[in-house]
Amino acid sequence: MPRGLYLASGILALLLGVLAFFTLFTVNETEHAIVTQFGDPIEAISEPGLKVKLPWRDVRFYEKRVLNLDPPAESMLLVDRDRLIVDSFVRYRIVDPFDFFRSVRTEQVLQSRLSTITNSVVREALGGVNLAGVLSERREELLADIVLHLNEQAADQFGIEIVDLRFRRTDLPDEISERVYDRMRSEREREAKEFRAKGEQAALEIRAKADRLVTVIRAEAEREAEIQRGDGEGKRTRILNDAFGQDPDFFAFYRSMQAYKAALGSDNTYMVLSPDSQFFSYFRQATPLSATGTNE
């Protein structure tokens, strides 16, 4: 082959390569593509594959995947006039690359503008709730409302969709924290006093009922004891009367022994009586042991 033909083939291949470089491009599964001509958007491509464009046109690529926005933390005023430092983050995706390019062109510009809108929407939402609402089960409902309002303001304007918004941190300023903690402590102390007062009242009622019950039981027991004691005394009297009727001498002896026991039962007892006193009648009648007859 002549040398000139080799040279012509090389130049043609080079021209074809340069033409392919400026006219062919590839769109990945995770990207949107915007074809522009002299800075104006001409076509938006979201389907992956090999694409063709005119050589004087440019291509800009945007992410299809979910992106993160981390606005700076800001101090916001709640409905009860307490201030709260809110640090939130947003997840979003580009759904309309044509509107996205015409409104912000770059993700850096979007994040700057979306941060401002996000803080404004969050501030407006928190202005209608108190601290308890932010920290309670209403938090999820509050976040859903914020996402809805963000989509209303940002979706059509920037060609994006807000997927989620969360509060990374919600802190009170130091001076407000002390005031809130003092208020919470006072509230807990007040509740503790109420519970303690109710407990003391219940204890007094229970103690009063117990005292009344003890008094009733003791009175019934004493009445029953008196009845039993009276019955016993009556039976004792009848038995003694019967015994006196059967053997008056033994009864007199028994009563004298009881009197001796009662009178002489203590070591510190001193009695001055005449030897022939009736009190010692049974001592005088006693027979000595030696006189009873030991020769049996």
Side-chain angles (χ1 to χ4, degrees):
M1 181 178 295
R3 183 176 178 181
L5 186 58
Y6 278 114
L7 181 59
S9 299
I11 293 174
L12 180 61
L14 179 62
L15 291 175
L16 291 175
V18 171
L19 181 64
F21 179 79
F22 286 102
T23 58
L24 300 178
F25 63 96
T26 302
V27 179
N28 294 326
E29 295 85 350
T30 61
E31 293 176 330
H32 296 290
I34 287 290
V35 179
T36 62
Q37 178 173 291
F38 308 119
D40 296 325
I42 301 299
E43 181 184 8
I45 303 173
S46 296
E47 294 296 326
L50 183 64
K51 309 297 178 181
V52 180
K53 66 178 182 68
L54 297 178
W56 56 86
R57 292 180 176 176
D58 296 323
V59 180
R60 188 185 293 267
F61 297 96
Y62 297 112
E63 280 280 354
K64 274 186 180 179
R65 292 173 292 187
V66 175
L67 302 172
N68 294 327
L69 171 66
D70 190 6
E74 287 199 5
S75 176
M76 301 183 182
L77 193 65
L78 303 180
V79 69
D80 53 5
R81 314 306 296 175
D82 285 335
R83 286 199 169 274
L84 192 67
I85 299 175
V86 179
D87 184 8
S88 59
F89 67 91
V90 180
R91 296 181 183 276
Y92 70 94
R93 67 163 60 94
I94 300 172
V95 294
D96 190 337
F98 211 86
D99 288 344
F100 184 86
F101 180 84
R102 287 188 302 182
S103 59
V104 293
R105 291 183 180 264
T106 65
E107 294 178 7
Q108 290 77 13
V109 175
L110 169 72
Q111 293 195 357
S112 175
R113 296 177 63 180
L114 187 58
S115 295
T116 302
I117 295 175
T118 298
N119 285 332
S120 175
V121 172
V122 171
R123 182 179 294 105
E124 181 180 357
L126 294 182
V129 299
N130 54 21
L131 181 61
V134 177
L135 302 179
S136 67
E137 296 178 354
R138 288 190 56 198
R139 184 187 185 105
E140 293 299 324
E141 180 181 350
L142 177 66
L143 293 175
D145 289 340
I146 293 174
V147 170
L148 178 63
H149 285 86
L150 273 177
N151 274 315
E152 291 175 353
Q153 296 191 27
D156 294 337
Q157 182 177 355
F158 302 128
I160 63 174
E161 176 190 7
I162 305 299
V163 178
D164 194 15
L165 179 141
R166 295 289 167 178
F167 293 152
R168 180 182 291 109
R169 182 170 59 93
T170 52
D171 294 335
L172 292 170
D174 294 339
E175 64 277 6
I176 297 179
S177 296
E178 291 296 330
R179 188 170 69 249
V180 171
Y181 293 151
D182 290 341
R183 185 171 60 194
M184 293 173 63
R185 187 183 300 110
S186 300
E187 184 67 19
R188 299 291 86 78
E189 290 176 353
R190 183 186 62 80
E191 292 179 356
K193 289 180 180 178
E194 290 181 359
F195 286 132
R196 191 176 295 110
K198 291 179 181 179
E200 291 176 354
Q201 181 180 356
L204 290 175
E205 293 176 355
I206 294 172
R207 192 176 295 113
K209 291 180 181 179
D211 291 341
R212 287 197 301 269
L213 183 60
V214 167
T215 301
V216 172
I217 293 174
R218 182 179 291 114
E220 292 179 352
E222 291 177 353
R223 181 178 61 82
E224 185 68 24
E226 290 295 332
I227 294 173
Q228 296 291 336
R229 190 178 296 110
D231 292 341
E233 290 293 336
K235 291 179 180 179
R236 177 178 177 273
T237 301
R238 288 194 299 272
I239 292 172
L240 290 176
N241 289 335
D242 292 342
F244 178 75
Q246 294 178 7
D247 191 346
D249 292 336
F250 174 77
F251 184 73
F253 173 76
Y254 174 76
R255 295 299 297 269
S256 297
M257 292 300 103
Q258 293 295 320
Y260 291 156
K261 180 179 180 182
L264 304 174
S266 175
D267 295 338
N268 297 326
T269 301
Y270 295 92
M271 299 183 67
V272 180
L273 297 172
S274 174
D276 57 354
S277 172
Q278 183 65 28
F279 186 77
F280 293 112
S281 60
Y282 282 98
F283 285 96
R284 293 195 300 271
Q285 296 175 10
T287 303
L289 183 59
S290 60
T292 59
T294 58
N295 296 324
E296 294 182 1

